Amino acid sequence: MSAIISRRALLTTGALGAGALLSGCDQVANTPSLRKILFSGEKINHGLARALTDRNSLAKEYRPDQMSPLFRVNGTSNPNTASYNAMAAENFANWRLEVGGLVNRPLSISHQALMAMPARTQITRHDCVEGWSAIGKWHGPMLGTILKAADVRTTARYVVFTCADLYSGHAYYESLDLIDAFHPQTILAWAMNDRMLSVAHGAPIRLRVERQLGYKNAKYVMRVDAVASLAGIGLGKGGYWEDRVDYDWYAGI
Ligand SMILES: Nc1nc2c(c(=O)[nH]1)N[C@H]1C(S)=C(S)[C@@H](COP(=O)(O)O)O[C@H]1N2
Ligand SMILES: [Mo]
């Protein structure tokens, strides 16, 4: 069946639920107990997206005239801690991105050095689960370039982003698997809409992972760590919203 159904049709079925797609061609999938085992919870979205889309395909990129006149600020708009405020007051001249965990060469990269790296520019649409979208232009080095420089060990399976802010009193963090971490549109953006990234949008750098929903796009990134497991980090589900309100860890769109 997969040869006949277009990618668009498959993606559309996401809204209806995979049951609608499968029921027409697979009686087994209609057996409630089996369906429960095969397609429980978030695994249905994660598994389907992986099976049906090419994970290396690119998110749509837009033209400059399609950029949103206003890009909403959501979640934390200023970490407002003593250490963050001190760094911001110096325009992040003494901030460093720490890259560690399961890497052979831990890195400590200054803002200046990060901005001197080869960078990508991409105009993409940000989709927040709360029901708004905005198209913006992002500029920064590919995360993959940094991870290659750090020489991620073969035992690593995820990359964890530690942010400077607390949201409702809990540290914001996020994580990606290595496929998304090395995706060419996954960048650490230091500029937005041709200007230095503002505090409200995540200065000095924020993750842009263009094939995932808004909450995966961590602002105020301070550390990047390669890890073998997400257990023991936060509440263990891989991100702030995953831990707090059970959002899907895999938010691919
Ligand atoms: N550190 C941090 N990153 C974050 C958030 C946050 O509160 N703190 N909110 C997330 C959510 S839900 C969205 S929709 C986007 C909002 O990014 P924006 O403020 O640039 O629009 O950031 C994401 N990354
Ligand atoms: Mo969001």
Side-chain angles (χ1 to χ4, degrees):
M1 105 190 151
S2 57
I4 305 163
I5 301 172
S6 70
R7 178 168 181 267
R8 187 192 166 84
L10 289 171
L11 291 175
T12 312
T13 59
L16 302 170
L21 168 69
L22 294 163
S23 59
C25 59
D26 191 346
Q27 285 303 319
V28 174
N30 285 329
T31 311
S33 58
L34 256 180
R35 286 189 57 160
K36 206 174 164 205
I37 295 161
L38 290 171
F39 304 127
S40 60
E42 77 185 57
K43 289 182 190 70
I44 188 162
N45 295 328
H46 194 178
L48 263 184
R50 293 216 165 167
L52 304 178
T53 64
D54 176 357
R55 298 208 60 215
N56 295 311
S57 64
L58 299 177
K60 180 177 165 67
E61 294 195 14
Y62 295 79
R63 299 186 310 268
D65 63 282
Q66 294 174 302
M67 285 163 60
S68 303
L70 188 86
F71 200 112
R72 207 167 127 168
V73 172
N74 208 33
T76 302
S77 57
N78 186 335
N80 213 10
T81 63
S83 62
Y84 182 86
N85 290 343
M87 291 188 285
E90 304 171 321
N91 267 321
F92 303 100
N94 291 306
W95 167 89
R96 297 179 90 86
L97 174 70
E98 306 298 336
V99 184
L102 296 175
V103 298
N104 291 321
R105 201 179 307 118
L107 304 174
S108 177
I109 311 173
S110 70
H111 198 209
Q112 214 51 43
L114 199 108
M115 292 189 294
M117 288 181 66
R120 256 187 84 93
T121 304
Q122 56 206 32
I123 301 175
T124 54
R125 195 185 67 205
H126 175 103
D127 296 309
C128 172
V129 285
E130 289 166 27
W132 59 274
S133 298
I135 295 173
K137 188 197 274 189
W138 304 99
H139 179 82
M142 290 191 284
L143 177 63
T145 307
I146 293 167
L147 294 177
K148 272 177 213 148
D151 192 10
V152 174
R153 293 191 192 146
T154 50
T155 45
R157 295 185 62 203
Y158 306 96
V159 173
V160 177
F161 304 87
T162 303
C163 305
D165 59 318
L166 300 177
Y167 195 73
S168 298
H170 303 286
Y172 201 98
Y173 78 103
E174 256 304 340
S175 60
L176 299 175
D177 63 23
L178 294 184
I179 300 177
D180 284 323
F182 280 95
H183 186 281
Q185 286 170 319
T186 299
I187 66 172
L188 293 177
W190 55 266
M192 173 190 183
N193 296 352
D194 298 314
R195 306 175 73 153
M196 292 298 288
L197 188 64
S198 65
V199 166
H201 288 292
I205 57 163
R206 66 107 40 94
L207 175 66
R208 289 303 310 173
V209 48
E210 304 295 359
R211 295 199 42 210
Q212 302 249 348
L213 290 169
Y215 62 89
K216 300 294 287 188
N217 291 257
K219 307 197 276 189
Y220 318 111
V221 175
M222 300 286 125
R223 291 194 59 88
V224 177
D225 287 283
V227 299
S229 159
L230 299 172
I233 301 163
L235 298 182
K237 291 186 181 169
Y240 174 89
W241 289 107
E242 293 89 327
D243 283 346
R244 300 289 150 192
V245 290
D246 223 25
Y247 281 6
D248 284 353
W249 173 76
Y250 185 72
I253 46 180

